[in-house]
Every structure is written in structure tokens, then in C-alpha cells.
Amino acid sequence: MHIDRAVAAASAGSAQAAPIAVRLPPLRFNYNVLIKLSFFLFVVCGAIALVEPSPYDFASFLTIGLWFLGGFRVHRFILAFLALIFVYNFGGFVALLPYLNEPDPTLFMLQSLYLAITAVFFALFFAENTLARAELCLKAYAFSTVVAAACGILGYFNIGGTEDLFSKYGRASGTFKDPNVLGSYLIMGALYFIQSLILRRTRHLLLTLSALFIVVAGIFLSFSRGSWGAFIVAALMTMVFAFHSNRDARVRRRIVVMAAVAVGVALIGIVLLLSIDSTREFFLQRASVTQEYDEGETGRFGNQLRSLPMLLDRLNGFGPLRFRLIFDLDPHNSYINSFASYGWLGGSAFLLMVGLTIFIGFRLALARSPYARIAHVYWPALFVFLMQGFQIDIDHWRHVYLMLGAVWGIETARIRWLERPAWVERPVGLRQSSGRLPSR
């Protein structure tokens, strides 16, 4: 009995003296998951533009750096885009040379170069693993639009004393400094929700309808005439593309019914907002075709007309940010600004890049391919921005460069699919084992 206790005590003592070694599993990380998380954060941060540099800029360095370390491929089709965006910025730096001692023009061109780099990244990024990455981007972007629109609504109605933070000039600005940028930013999120509804790609119908309601309300309360028109055109394009790409009569009927539901939700939201007297009065004021600052020889349109003969005599334009020094206003026209700030070299490259983008955008949206559905969101959103460029400066909008790179990257994937249809990732919902679409 005493011997057993002694043995037990000795065993306990030896256990304390020699603790059992525990083997921990080696630390591991999944590179692809890390890229997805950083990319999701990168896109979401695009909705935050109250400070400069914005969180989007910091997230871009992280995401692009991680992606670069993993390696990438450059398809020959995308070389045209790379060349044009390079020449566009090169022309701007040539026009900058006489004003290198001025900080604002120099910063303007450095920002242009940075945005061009992000567009190249998006083009190369979407050219690989296209369906998964494009869908991830849309989800992140749509989420960010709900947040931005909700902040704009809070600011417009001064809920929680947020008027000074989330509204400007009596208009919802949300997480942006300019209500016009908020209204335009929200468009692609609204298109994503509309497509999810008309194609029944959502498991949570009421949640999607609520999100669409919030985003459309944000667009309306931005009181941006350009955003109103752009949203209507882009929404119609998305619905027409969906109807055109589906041959089944039942699917087409469902698209029509759900499109009517989506339009109804949007109209209900607008009618409710117009029932508020102050909102209705401001709407009637903003709904006019032109405003006071648009008219006259020294108004927006007058300045644009007066600048044209002056630019004909200046090969390098006025120089970056010099238009405002001559006319006391920014050009509010990205096409005139491309020649005024980037010279004839940069302006010509910009026009050619826009023209080619419009060609490949419609080809991508109308051709039958595994990438048509995602193109029906990206392309209408980008197209209306390119049209908005005639009445506002879009050349430094971060989300425009996202969409520009995305359209070129998705079209690159489609070209590769045409070259090797059996190679491409299989899209969800297609049963063909070869990866081909019927009647291609």
C-alpha cells in the first residue's frame, strides 16, 4: 500500500519535471483566399472618398502587391489597352513639363498615372479566373453602394446630426465629397440588384428589394441630373441585354415581370421622397435641363465652346489643371479636358481608347459567351459614364477605372474562350461538358 503511493508520487514528480511536448500544426495560409479577401476590401473601400488619400488607395497597394507576387499573364489582346492608356498619360506628362514647379498640376498627373495603373491591374486581374473574380467584385461593390447610399440618406435627413458629414449643398453626398460622384457610383450596385431580381439569382428576395430601394433613393437624393439619366439608361440596357440573351419564352416572361417589379420598387421610393415638400421643390429646381451656371458665354457650355479654337493652336493643350485658370471653371467635359490637360497626343489616345471600349463593350454584351451575364452589369455602367463625360469630368473617378479595366479584362477572357473554348472555366448553370455554349 505504501509502495503504491510512493510509485504514484514518483510518477507525478517525474511528470512535473518532464512536461509532455505538444506538437502544433505548422502555420499555413491560402494565397488565393488572401487575394480574395484583400480584393474584396479594396473594392469596398472605393465607396470611401471623404479623405485623401482614401482607404481605397492604401488597399490598392496591398492588393496589387499581393497579386503581383503571385505572377500574371498578359494576353496579346490587352496590349492595345495598355498602349493607349500609356500614351494618354505620356501626353499629360509632356503637357506638364512647363509647370513642373507647380504642385497641383504635378499631383494631378501623378494621380492620373496611379489610376491608370489600377485600370491595368483590373484588366489583367479580370482576364484570369474571370467569372469568380468578376462576381466577387460585383458583390463587394454592391455592398459598398448600400453603405454609401444609406449614409447619404442619413445625411440628407440629418439623422443623428450627420448632415454636415454626409450631405453637401442640400444634396446627399454620403461617403463622397461630391453628390454627383455619389449618384454615379451607386449605379452599378443598382444594376447588380436589378439583374439579380430579373434573373432570380438571389435567395433573399426581400433583402435584395430593400437594397435596391436604398440605392435608388441614394441616387435620387444626390439630385445629380447626370446620375438620374445615366441610371435610367443603364437599367434599361441591363434589362434589354438580359431579354436578348435568353431565348426561352418562360425566362423572358419572368424577366419582364421582375423588371416591372424592380421598376415599381424604384418608383415607390421616388414617390415617397417626393411627398416631402422640401424634396419636391428641390427636385423641380434640379430637374430643369440647364442651371444658371450652365448658360451664357462664361457658363459651362460657353467656356467649352470658347476653348475649342484656342486648343486648335496648342499642341500640348493648356496643361494639367490650366483650364480653370483661363476660364475660372473646370471644363466639366472629359473629352475637352483630355485635350486641354493632356495635349493632342493624350487627347487623341483618350478618344481612341473610348471608341475601342465602346466597340468591345457592345460586342461583349451582345455576343453569346460564358461572360455575357456579368458584362450586362459592367458594360452599361461604364457606357453611361463615358456618355456622362460630355457633361462632367470623369477622368479621375476611381470606379470608372475599375469598370474600364474590368470590361477589357472580361473581353480578353472571351477572346481566349473563342480561341480555346474547352479551356475556359465552366459558367454556372450551363450543362455542356465541353464548356461551349450552344449555337455560339
Side-chain angles (χ1 to χ4, degrees):
M1 190 72 174
H2 294 291
I3 295 175
D4 292 341
R5 289 177 180 175
V7 171
S11 299
S14 63
Q16 293 175 355
I20 300 174
V22 178
R23 289 187 178 182
L24 296 175
L27 293 175
R28 297 178 180 177
F29 71 94
N30 188 313
Y31 175 76
N32 290 327
V33 171
L34 188 61
I35 287 291
K36 289 179 181 178
L37 290 175
S38 64
F39 181 73
F40 187 93
L41 177 65
F42 179 23
V43 175
V44 168
C45 286
I48 307 172
L50 288 173
V51 294
E52 296 291 345
S54 75
Y56 178 90
D57 302 321
F58 294 110
S60 69
F61 295 132
L62 172 65
T63 304
I64 295 175
L66 288 172
W67 164 80
F68 184 84
L69 291 175
F72 56 91
R73 289 182 290 183
V74 181
H75 191 269
R76 64 180 182 275
F77 174 79
I78 218 166
L79 293 177
F81 175 65
L82 302 184
L84 288 171
I85 204 165
F86 168 80
V87 174
Y88 171 55
N89 280 272
F90 179 76
F93 278 102
V94 171
L96 174 67
L97 289 177
Y99 314 104
L100 279 173
N101 61 329
E102 300 181 19
D104 289 343
T106 301
L107 179 60
F108 176 86
M109 281 312 306
L110 290 176
Q111 290 172 338
S112 296
L113 179 62
Y114 159 70
L115 291 170
I117 292 172
T118 64
V120 170
F121 159 73
F122 287 120
L124 297 175
F125 187 76
F126 281 101
E128 302 285 340
N129 196 16
T130 306
L131 293 174
R133 288 175 172 178
E135 188 69 29
L136 176 65
C137 178
L138 287 176
K139 290 178 179 178
Y141 194 100
F143 170 76
S144 73
T145 59
V146 174
V147 174
C151 289
I153 295 170
L154 292 175
Y156 180 81
F157 292 107
N158 195 25
I159 299 174
T162 57
E163 181 178 12
D164 292 338
L165 182 61
F166 295 139
S167 71
K168 297 287 186 300
Y169 325 117
R171 302 158 59 187
S173 59
T175 51
F176 292 86
K177 297 178 181 178
D178 187 344
N180 294 315
V181 183
L182 170 70
S184 295
Y185 182 84
L186 299 179
I187 290 173
M188 191 165 79
L191 299 185
Y192 178 72
F193 293 128
I194 288 172
Q195 188 189 70
S196 298
L197 289 171
I198 64 177
L199 297 183
R200 296 177 70 177
R201 292 182 56 84
T202 176
R203 297 178 181 177
H204 309 284
L205 179 62
L206 291 179
L207 187 62
T208 304
L209 285 170
S210 301
L212 177 62
F213 183 94
I214 292 171
V215 173
V216 171
I219 295 173
F220 180 78
L221 292 177
S222 72
F223 290 100
S224 169
R225 295 167 296 162
S227 298
W228 292 345
F231 168 63
I232 293 171
V233 172
L236 287 174
M237 289 176 65
T238 294
M239 291 185 282
V240 169
F241 285 148
F243 188 86
H244 172 268
S245 62
N246 287 276
R247 307 292 175 85
D248 188 283
R250 291 179 300 172
V251 175
R252 285 188 165 187
R253 283 195 296 270
R254 187 178 71 230
I255 289 173
V256 172
V257 171
M258 294 308 296
V261 171
V263 171
V265 169
L267 289 176
I268 289 171
I270 293 172
V271 168
L272 289 174
L273 292 171
L274 288 176
S275 66
I276 303 171
D277 291 340
S278 58
T279 303
R280 183 171 61 254
E281 291 175 5
F282 199 26
F283 167 76
L284 294 174
Q285 175 189 338
R286 292 291 301 172
S288 60
V289 177
T290 60
Q291 299 292 310
E292 183 179 352
Y293 52 78
D294 293 326
E295 302 168 348
E297 185 178 351
T298 58
R300 178 196 305 196
F301 304 128
N303 287 338
Q304 294 170 1
L305 291 175
R306 287 193 296 144
S307 71
L308 295 178
M310 298 172 67
L311 289 172
L312 290 175
D313 297 329
R314 292 169 169 82
L315 186 63
N316 287 325
F318 301 134
L321 294 183
R322 308 295 296 183
F323 190 101
R324 64 175 63 168
L325 299 180
I326 300 171
F327 300 100
D328 295 325
L329 285 173
D330 286 320
H332 294 298
N333 184 311
S334 295
Y335 299 95
I336 290 178
N337 189 55
S338 67
F339 286 90
S341 293
Y342 298 80
W344 276 79
L345 179 63
S348 300
F350 183 75
L351 287 183
L352 184 56
M353 181 172 64
V354 169
L356 283 177
T357 301
I358 290 174
F359 172 76
I360 71 166
F362 278 109
R363 183 175 68 179
L364 176 62
L366 294 173
R368 287 179 58 76
S369 78
Y371 309 100
R373 181 185 60 79
I374 55 175
H376 296 166
V377 176
Y378 284 101
W379 173 236
L382 177 60
F383 175 73
V384 294
F385 288 150
L386 297 179
M387 295 301 101
Q388 273 193 285
F390 285 103
Q391 52 90 218
I392 199 169
D393 301 307
I394 65 167
D395 48 301
H396 271 199
W397 287 3
R398 294 178 177 91
H399 51 284
V400 170
Y401 286 83
L402 184 157
M403 298 170 196
L404 181 64
V407 167
W408 278 86
I410 296 169
E411 174 66 357
T412 300
R414 191 188 72 86
I415 296 296
R416 296 173 69 183
W417 172 72
L418 289 174
E419 294 173 347
R420 291 188 295 165
W423 160 85
V424 80
E425 57 201 305
R426 186 177 301 171
V428 176
L430 295 179
R431 299 179 180 177
Q432 286 72 21
S433 60
S434 65
R436 294 177 182 263
L437 281 177
S439 305
R440 179 169 59 83

